[in-house]
Amino acid sequence: MNLSVNTERVKTVAVTASLAAWLIATAAAQLPDPRFDSLLWCGKWRIPTPNWRFFGPNPGVKDCHLLYRDLTDGKPGEWKDIPITRDRSWYALAWNARNRSPKVLIDAVQGIRVRTAAAGSEMRPVVRSAGYVLLSRYIQHHLPHTEGASHSQFLVMHSYLATPEDRQIEPFFVSEEFPLPTAGTSHPQTLPIAA
């Protein structure tokens, strides 16, 4: 009896089975329960899997708020909340191009938070950061301003629930006062339009 083995088919089956096993092992390594981690890394096989958790091990517990106020004749006005995120449409799970603009603002706020923590009480490194420049220009050119206002500034703060009835507020950065453009050059919008 003569058995001929098709080596190309054997190779294809072996590679496909290996990739399928690795995909399943990678999916198991992403589960929040860490008991699969020890199964994958112990024993004879030691399957090398990347570790990107689908569920963050340290979820965010604080809300970030960006506020601004105008100064008219050197007197500060009331703080106004800038909505960073918008409600999502039903198809945003697959296509959410409008998320680009809010993502830029969130990244700018995070950059300021990191730079503030690193700089301590020194303001100069924060003012020169890309996030600071982006937020100040955004406020200057894309938000409505009080009639006659000459300057503006922004505030970044966190809020979180200490108890179900008590929301704590932590301001962590107040910008310097920056000049507003002259009348006729600002373009008020709630958020910049995403491409």
Side-chain angles (χ1 to χ4, degrees):
M1 185 168 178
N2 188 5
L3 290 175
S4 69
V5 177
N6 185 345
T7 57
E8 286 301 313
R9 191 170 190 189
V10 171
K11 289 178 188 176
T12 302
V13 168
V15 169
T16 303
S18 299
L19 288 176
W22 191 49
L23 179 65
I24 292 168
T26 300
Q30 309 314 308
L31 295 173
D33 192 349
R35 71 178 145 186
F36 293 107
D37 295 348
S38 61
L39 289 174
L40 295 171
W41 285 98
C42 293
K44 189 171 156 180
W45 298 103
R46 292 186 177 255
I47 301 171
T49 56
N51 189 357
W52 302 295
R53 296 277 187 220
F54 291 142
F55 308 98
N58 299 315
V61 294
K62 295 181 179 180
D63 294 328
C64 188
H65 302 275
L66 177 60
L67 297 93
Y68 78 106
R69 69 178 176 187
D70 293 331
L71 289 90
T72 309
D73 298 326
K75 296 178 184 172
E78 299 225 0
W79 290 107
K80 300 173 197 167
D81 194 16
I82 301 172
I84 295 179
T85 59
R86 300 187 220 181
D87 292 334
R88 291 183 174 188
S89 55
W90 64 270
Y91 56 82
L93 182 63
W95 176 254
N96 194 14
R98 291 188 312 168
N99 193 38
R100 293 178 186 154
S101 300
K103 177 73 170 118
V104 170
L105 293 177
I106 290 168
D107 288 348
V109 168
Q110 290 297 82
I112 287 175
R113 185 182 63 78
V114 169
R115 190 64 71 103
T116 302
S121 61
E122 193 174 342
M123 189 77 158
R124 189 177 183 114
V126 181
V127 172
R128 291 185 168 191
S129 71
Y132 184 95
V133 172
L134 185 135
L135 288 179
S136 61
R137 298 261 169 90
Y138 173 71
I139 291 167
Q140 285 173 325
H141 299 287
H142 295 282
L143 294 177
H145 296 286
T146 307
E147 187 70 34
S150 61
H151 289 75
S152 195
Q153 72 180 148
F154 63 89
L155 162 71
V156 185
M157 65 180 191
H158 285 136
S159 70
Y160 61 93
L161 288 175
T163 65
E165 303 85 28
D166 183 28
R167 181 167 282 278
Q168 297 290 318
I169 296 173
E170 292 178 350
F172 66 86
F173 181 77
V174 178
S175 75
E176 295 178 339
E177 298 171 5
F178 47 85
L180 292 173
T182 58
T185 58
S186 63
H187 311 285
Q189 294 176 358
T190 306
L191 287 171
I193 297 170

